[in-house]
């Protein structure tokens, strides 16, 4: 690993900023791929300009730049220091206002009557379409740029795109002098038509054109999947032959619990429960994935499995990705066990507990005073020593790194492999699941409880809000509860979208004070989050305004309305997952998707959610609609994120990579042959540095 400090212009401060975006070395830097590319398009006629986009227009200045005099200087205290220069331009289709901040010198350099190309973001200022802070080009100068692609990276406050570009350009040069060797065997590169490594790396950052970019991308996507699959297979080769050291026999407690439930298990749940019981009693240790759409009742399966392990004299652990969810599982189990007079004791272990509480928890775990341990990542801390741990379950597996699931499963005595059960709601087709979870047996819960009424959906624009609030008011009258989702925590200059803090304030003025309205977001302290969730689940709060922190797992069956603001900003799969928070009880539930954009494609995309409540269908429609043109856009799926490959979009490359991995391992399982040595070395590096970071 080479430090990025050796790059020109990267000092201590820049180094820290780079660390914030996950770059700790030159290697990291080179593999920080652009989020998207800025393509300089031909100027558009003013008539066709739309708010919100970056666009270029070509035309004549009809009003030279002049300093704006604020109309109400006394109200304008905050903007006092900002010097605003305004101008107006025209082409044959219309006129457009332009403004710049803090560039008073433009008054001297630009005259009315001259022609320029202006490129910038267009928004509404005082009801008028206005281009803000555009870059200025001569006509010939812009012409040269047309169709150039500029990489855009994910940044952090203080780090500019320009700084990243500069660093990467230097790094590429360094890399070239060292010329990392191609490690994909020739035969594979030929067969799957993959570009050479150094070319691909350079091109992904600075492509000449779209065609070249696609060639580079294909190579990098293939490589990402290929390494992942190979690494996983290597990790798991051992698993396949691991003996079951923790055999478990069926017990009466689980069957009694099932009988005592207020509902009967669905057939799908029964089938999966049977598969799990069989696994636990078999020769080989269990490694099973339970896949089921949101609300299909995976938690019940997890609880039954935990109980079976406990009744067999083992400890069992359940790990959830958020503290809110872990606590909810804990309370759910506690209550269930109390109601059914089950004497097994669950324990909650989370990061926000005090040092003293944790210490006590470690003790009772080590002494086996508790059988069932529920927690967050806190479970995989070094300090946690289990006693006769026989089973680990991860809920919402796609939120964890592969490595985290590994570590938990290695918590058994003498690191002896324990039974592993993995819960996931990721809507991927079975063929892909088999590749991505290659080592696991897969059970599918393909049925929702019959008592459920399908969620009623609607896609609306912001004008619908008053109506929505009246509807919400009504539901609250009936005793129901509401989630409102906003994409952001607080106001931001970069993005125009609803935020949790302001929205909550606004709602408080709208509803009577009898309606309790609170907010929840990821930046709150875990204790505060827990308290809010706790109160919401006891109906002490009626409206919860939240970011997507509530996306996973949360279960408050009395909540019947979910309203999503700026729904266009979320991926469909994510919206579907969010929607899964309602429709969990007997009452009719509703989902209101408010679109902040009236673009045809946006509405068409959201309509898919309107038409279907089926996660598989939604994911595949999303894929179909996005099409290859969107490859460069911001990731939509929000799940199963690789660095560059997209499980849905690049499904065929995933298949190819899997095929290639099979071919290689068949010939040379240990990767010892001369032509595979470079690859073998790479895989080792990958296993230690990268694999764990992939959420799957
Ligand atoms: P998920 O699969 O998304 O994790 P949960 O396990 O949280 O879903 O279940 C959602 C809700 O459905 C819970 O309130 C749970 O008690 C209930 N539930 C689970 N199984 C059934 C069933 N067979 N019939 C009716 N309700 C069920
Ligand atoms: Mg769940």
């Amino acid at each position: 690993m080479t430090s990025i400090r050796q790059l020109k212009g990267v000092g201590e401060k820049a180094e820290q900023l780079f660390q914030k975006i996950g770059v700790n070395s030159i290697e990291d830097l080179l593999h920080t791929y652009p989020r998207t590319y800025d393509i300089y398009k031909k100027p558009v006629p003013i008539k066709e300009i739309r708010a919100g986009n970056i666009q270029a227009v070509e035309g004549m200045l009809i009003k030279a730049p002049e300093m704006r005099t604020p109309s109400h200087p006394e109200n304008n205290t905050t903007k006092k220091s900002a010097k605003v220069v305004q101008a107006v331009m025209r082409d044959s289709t219309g006129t457009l206002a332009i403004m710049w901040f803090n560039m008073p010198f433009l008054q001297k350099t630009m005259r009315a009557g001259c022609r320029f190309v202006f490129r910038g973001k267009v928004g509404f200022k005082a009801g008028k379409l206005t281009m803000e802070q555009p870059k200025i080009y001569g006509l010939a100068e812009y012409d040269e740029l047309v169709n150039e692609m500029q990489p855009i990276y994910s940044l952090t406050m203080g780090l500019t795109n320009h700084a990243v570009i500069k660093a990467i350009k230097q790094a590429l040069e360094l890399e070239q002098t060292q010329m990392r060797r191609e490690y994909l065997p020739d035969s594979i590169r030929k067969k799957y038509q993959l570009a050479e490594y150094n070319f691909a790396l350079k091109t992904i950052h600075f492509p000449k054109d779209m065609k070249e970019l696609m060639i580079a991308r294909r190579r990098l996507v293939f490589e990402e999947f290929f390494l992942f699959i190979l690494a996983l297979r290597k990790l798991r080769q051992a698993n396949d032959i691991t003996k079951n050291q923790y055999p478990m026999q069926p017990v009466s407690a689980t069957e009694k619990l099932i009988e005592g439930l207020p509902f009967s298990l669905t057939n799908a749940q029964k089938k999966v429960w049977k598969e799990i019981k069989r696994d636990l009693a078999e020769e080989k240790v269990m490694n099973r994935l339970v896949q089921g759409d949101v609300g299909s009742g995976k938690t019940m399966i997890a609880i039954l499995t935990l109980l079976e392990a406990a009744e067999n004299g083992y400890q069992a652990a359940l790990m959830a990705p958020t503290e809110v969810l872990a606590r909810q599982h804990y309370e759910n189990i506690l209550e269930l066990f109390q109601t059914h007079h089950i004497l097994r004791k669950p324990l909650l272990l989370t990061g926000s507990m005090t040092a003293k509480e944790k210490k006590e928890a470690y003790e009772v775990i080590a002494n086996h005073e508790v059988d069932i341990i529920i927690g967050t990542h806190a479970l995989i801390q070094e300090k946690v020593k289990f006693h006769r741990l026989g089973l680990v379950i991860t809920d919402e597996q796609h939120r964890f790194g592969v490595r985290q699931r590994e570590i938990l499963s290695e918590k058994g005595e003498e690191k002896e492999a324990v039974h592993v059960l993995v819960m996931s709601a990721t809507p991927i087709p079975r063929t892909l699941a088999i590749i991505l979870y290659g080592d696991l047996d897969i059970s599918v819960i393909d049925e929702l409880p019959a008592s459920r009424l399908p969620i009623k959906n609607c896609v609306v624009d912001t004008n619908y809000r008053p109506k929505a609030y009246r509807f919400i008011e009504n539901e609250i009258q009936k005793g129901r509860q509401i989630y409102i989702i906003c994409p952001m925590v607080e106001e931001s200059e970069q993005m125009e979208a609803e935020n949790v803090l302001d929205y909550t304030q606004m709602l408080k003025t709208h509803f009577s004070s009898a309606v309790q309205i609170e907010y929840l977001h990821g930046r709150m302290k875990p204790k505060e989050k827990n308290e809010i969730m706790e109160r919401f689940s006891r109906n002490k709060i009626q409206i919860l305004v939240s970011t997507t922190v509530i996306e996973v797992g949360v279960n408050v069956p009395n909540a019947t309305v979910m309203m999503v603001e700026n729904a266009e900003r979320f991926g469909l799969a994510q919206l579907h997952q969010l929607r899964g928070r309602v429709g969990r009880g007997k009452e009719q539930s509703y989902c209101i998707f408010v679109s902040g954009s009236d673009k045809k494609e946006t509405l068409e995309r959201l309509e898919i959610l309107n038409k279907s409540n089926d996660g598989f269908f939604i994911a595949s429609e999303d894929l179909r609609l996005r099409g290859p043109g969107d490859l460069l856009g911001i990731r939509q799926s929000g799940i199963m994120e690789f660095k560059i490959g997209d499980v849905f979009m690049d499904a065929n490359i995933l298949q190819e990579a899997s095929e290639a991995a099979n071919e290689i391992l068949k010939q040379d399982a240990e990767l010892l042959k001369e032509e595979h040595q470079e690859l073998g070395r790479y895989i080792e590096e990958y296993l230690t540095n990268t694999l764990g970071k992939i959420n799957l």
Side-chain angles (χ1 to χ4, degrees):
M1 300 256 273
T2 329
S3 160
I4 58 168
R5 286 289 282 279
Q6 63 168 281
L7 301 175
K8 258 192 296 181
V10 180
E12 194 181 326
K13 212 173 129 221
E15 186 181 31
Q16 280 168 8
L17 291 172
F18 273 109
Q19 276 166 4
K20 275 201 188 159
I21 58 165
V23 172
N24 293 304
S25 66
I26 298 266
E27 290 78 10
D28 287 348
L29 181 65
L30 287 168
H31 292 280
T32 300
Y33 305 135
R35 175 169 65 78
T36 181
Y37 300 81
D38 196 0
I39 304 175
Y40 290 76
K41 298 218 180 90
K42 283 218 174 80
V44 295
I46 289 175
K47 190 173 77 181
E48 287 169 26
I49 291 271
R50 296 285 170 271
N53 300 337
I54 290 188
Q55 282 150 323
V57 289
E58 177 187 327
M60 194 171 69
L61 271 190
I62 51 173
K63 211 160 129 204
E66 57 181 34
M67 297 286 274
R68 184 174 69 172
T69 39
S71 46
H72 300 287
E74 68 277 13
N75 293 342
N76 217 345
T77 44
T78 47
K79 290 270 167 69
K80 209 185 249 165
S81 53
K83 295 200 170 67
V84 178
V85 173
Q86 286 187 325
V88 178
M89 63 153 305
R90 186 185 80 196
D91 69 8
S92 59
T93 68
T95 61
L96 180 68
I98 303 180
M99 65 197 291
W100 291 273
F101 302 102
N102 291 322
M103 295 172 86
F105 53 87
L106 288 176
Q107 289 182 97
K108 299 211 179 70
T109 51
M110 292 171 61
R111 268 190 235 111
C114 294
R115 297 181 72 86
F116 298 98
V117 173
F118 299 99
R119 184 170 189 270
K121 193 165 173 176
V122 179
F124 277 101
K125 275 273 135 84
K128 228 169 37 180
L129 271 183
T130 305
M131 185 176 270
E132 279 183 57
Q133 206 73 356
K135 291 232 166 67
I136 307 158
Y137 304 89
L139 303 194
E141 183 191 5
Y142 192 80
D143 221 34
E144 294 250 301
L145 282 176
V146 169
N147 289 333
E148 282 262 311
M149 302 179 77
Q150 225 201 16
I152 311 275
Y153 298 93
S154 296
L155 303 169
T156 180
M157 184 83 95
L159 187 67
T160 64
N161 199 51
H162 182 69
V164 180
I165 290 182
K166 236 175 82 184
I168 289 183
K169 277 197 169 140
Q170 287 185 62
L172 278 168
E173 256 151 47
L174 281 182
E175 179 87 348
Q176 250 145 36
T177 52
Q178 296 159 8
M179 258 301 182
R180 181 161 219 164
R181 270 180 51 198
E182 172 64 73
Y183 62 86
L184 282 185
D186 268 355
S187 57
I188 296 226
R189 268 189 56 205
K190 278 220 188 72
K191 177 158 180 199
Y192 296 99
Q193 307 202 334
L194 302 168
E196 189 270 335
Y197 174 78
N198 289 284
F199 167 84
L201 198 56
K202 184 168 146 272
T203 305
I204 200 73
H205 291 291
F206 303 106
K208 267 218 302 286
D209 51 33
M210 202 64 165
K211 193 170 152 219
E212 219 187 64
L213 173 62
M214 285 303 147
I215 292 171
R217 188 181 179 281
R218 177 178 160 77
R219 149 82 202 217
L220 295 174
V221 171
F222 184 97
E223 126 174 2
E224 187 173 34
F225 288 152
F226 182 68
L227 291 175
F228 173 77
I229 293 166
L230 270 184
L232 213 58
R233 302 251 164 106
K234 273 193 93 73
L235 258 186
R236 310 310 170 124
Q237 268 163 2
N239 267 6
D240 271 355
I241 44 169
T242 309
K243 242 192 90 190
N244 179 0
Q245 309 279 1
Y246 310 93
M248 300 185 196
Q249 297 313 316
V251 292
S252 58
T254 53
E255 303 316 308
K256 265 204 222 125
L257 177 57
I258 293 173
E259 275 163 36
L261 289 173
F263 47 77
S264 51
L265 295 185
T266 62
N267 285 330
Q269 281 171 314
K270 283 184 195 152
K271 180 193 71 188
V272 173
W273 172 229
K274 218 161 133 187
E275 285 167 340
I276 291 172
K277 278 192 294 188
R278 195 191 55 214
D279 280 359
L280 294 174
E282 247 177 18
E283 282 287 293
K284 227 178 66 183
V285 74
M286 171 169 79
N287 277 291
R288 184 169 289 279
L289 165 74
V290 173
Q291 208 189 11
D293 210 345
V294 275
S296 60
K298 295 184 290 296
T299 312
M300 206 57 232
I301 298 294
I303 295 175
L304 288 170
T305 314
L306 291 168
L307 182 57
E308 173 123 326
E311 290 288 318
N312 273 277
Y314 302 112
Q315 272 185 343
L318 169 65
M319 182 163 73
T322 65
E323 200 155 306
V324 164
L325 185 53
R327 181 169 290 273
Q328 185 187 283
H329 282 328
Y330 168 73
E331 274 156 15
N332 190 355
I333 292 175
L334 205 59
E335 197 193 307
L336 211 55
F337 284 9
Q338 267 163 12
T339 328
H340 294 87
H341 311 291
I342 294 168
L343 297 176
R344 299 288 157 191
K345 257 170 84 183
L347 175 99
L348 181 68
L349 179 63
T350 62
S352 74
M353 285 164 55
T354 63
K356 186 161 163 271
E357 287 167 338
K358 277 185 201 155
K359 203 167 150 254
E360 280 167 17
Y362 298 151
E363 265 175 40
V364 292
I365 295 172
N367 297 339
H368 208 146
E369 282 169 51
V370 289
D371 309 292
I372 292 172
I373 300 100
I374 299 159
T376 52
H377 302 75
L379 287 183
I380 53 179
Q381 300 300 309
E382 191 80 39
K383 291 194 187 121
V384 186
K385 301 269 188 281
F386 292 96
H387 182 256
R388 291 199 5 117
L389 181 70
L391 162 77
V392 300
I393 304 180
T394 45
D395 192 20
E396 309 282 352
Q397 171 58 46
H398 56 285
R399 286 311 181 94
F400 288 103
V402 175
R403 188 67 203 136
Q404 289 161 324
R405 145 174 138 211
E406 280 293 313
I407 296 176
L408 184 57
S409 71
E410 282 165 7
K411 282 276 186 180
E413 244 132 272
E414 318 275 324
K415 292 207 167 183
E416 211 115 59
V418 301
H419 295 291
V420 174
L421 188 63
V422 169
M423 306 282 179
S424 170
T426 14
I428 53 170
R430 199 183 169 83
T431 45
L432 293 190
I434 287 169
I435 297 172
L436 290 168
Y437 300 95
D439 55 307
L440 304 177
D441 296 317
I442 302 178
S443 292
V444 184
I445 307 187
D446 49 7
E447 181 187 6
L448 292 179
S451 55
R452 292 287 161 71
L453 293 168
I455 299 169
K456 290 196 173 151
N457 304 287
C458 62
V459 179
V460 297
D461 61 24
T462 49
N463 293 325
Y464 187 82
R465 277 190 200 131
K467 234 173 146 179
Y469 296 153
R470 277 200 299 278
F471 180 73
I472 285 172
E473 181 107 53
N474 244 324
E475 284 291 298
I476 293 173
Q477 292 294 330
K478 286 196 240 160
R480 304 282 109 75
Q481 290 163 276
I482 319 295
Y483 293 104
I484 298 185
I485 308 299
C486 298
M488 299 206 295
V489 176
E490 57 189 3
E491 195 179 355
S492 143
E493 285 189 2
Q494 267 114 52
M495 210 194 269
E496 245 178 71
E498 296 301 331
N499 73 78
V500 165
L501 300 184
D502 292 338
Y503 206 98
T504 308
Q505 280 311 320
M506 185 275 286
L507 283 181
K508 281 186 174 167
T509 62
H510 193 99
F511 287 91
S512 91
S513 58
V515 177
Q516 285 300 311
I517 306 172
E518 299 286 349
Y519 61 77
L520 188 76
H521 61 74
R523 282 197 234 144
M524 286 162 62
K525 294 212 181 75
K527 270 223 154 64
E528 294 173 322
K529 281 192 271 190
N530 289 336
E531 199 193 295
I532 295 284
M533 259 341 278
E534 170 83 25
R535 284 172 54 210
F536 188 65
S537 67
R538 286 187 290 119
N539 199 359
K540 298 287 181 221
I541 295 171
Q542 285 77 49
I543 304 183
L544 185 62
V545 184
S546 171
T547 56
T548 54
V549 284
I550 55 124
E551 176 182 328
V552 289
V554 170
N555 187 38
V556 179
N558 189 48
T560 53
V561 181
M562 167 158 292
M563 178 165 169
V564 185
E565 288 284 353
N566 293 108
E568 77 282 1
R569 296 212 175 261
F570 299 98
L572 289 190
Q574 195 180 15
L575 286 173
H576 178 63
Q577 191 80 24
L578 271 171
R579 168 167 68 185
R581 296 316 113 218
V582 296
R584 299 174 85 85
K586 288 191 296 292
E587 312 298 335
Q588 176 64 55
S589 286
Y590 306 87
C591 203
I592 306 166
F593 298 107
V594 184
S595 174
S597 146
D598 54 4
K599 270 204 200 149
K600 192 168 146 267
E601 307 90 82
T602 310
L603 295 176
E604 202 181 329
R605 226 181 94 224
L606 292 175
E607 275 304 316
I608 294 172
L609 292 165
N610 211 348
K611 272 189 286 200
S612 170
N613 281 323
D614 173 353
F616 281 104
F617 176 77
I618 288 165
S620 56
E621 280 297 284
D622 196 11
L623 170 64
R624 190 180 61 78
L625 267 193
R626 276 188 290 161
D630 270 352
L631 273 185
L632 311 175
I634 300 170
R635 292 305 192 62
Q636 295 290 350
S637 55
I639 44 172
M640 316 197 71
E641 295 206 334
F642 283 82
K643 212 160 190 169
I644 185 166
D646 181 314
V647 170
F648 294 100
M649 190 72 87
D650 302 310
N652 57 340
I653 304 184
L654 184 61
Q655 299 271 12
E656 287 174 349
S658 164
E659 200 183 292
N662 284 344
E663 278 165 36
I664 279 217
L665 290 178
K666 211 161 107 196
Q667 290 168 28
D668 184 12
E670 303 294 321
L671 300 178
L672 294 174
K673 281 191 186 166
E674 163 111 45
E675 66 269 31
H676 298 155
Q677 274 174 17
E678 194 72 19
L679 178 62
R681 200 187 52 71
Y682 217 97
I683 293 286
E684 288 304 317
E685 193 185 306
Y686 183 91
L687 276 169
T688 36
N689 293 331
T690 313
L691 182 64
K693 294 184 198 145
I694 293 178
N695 287 359
L696 203 73

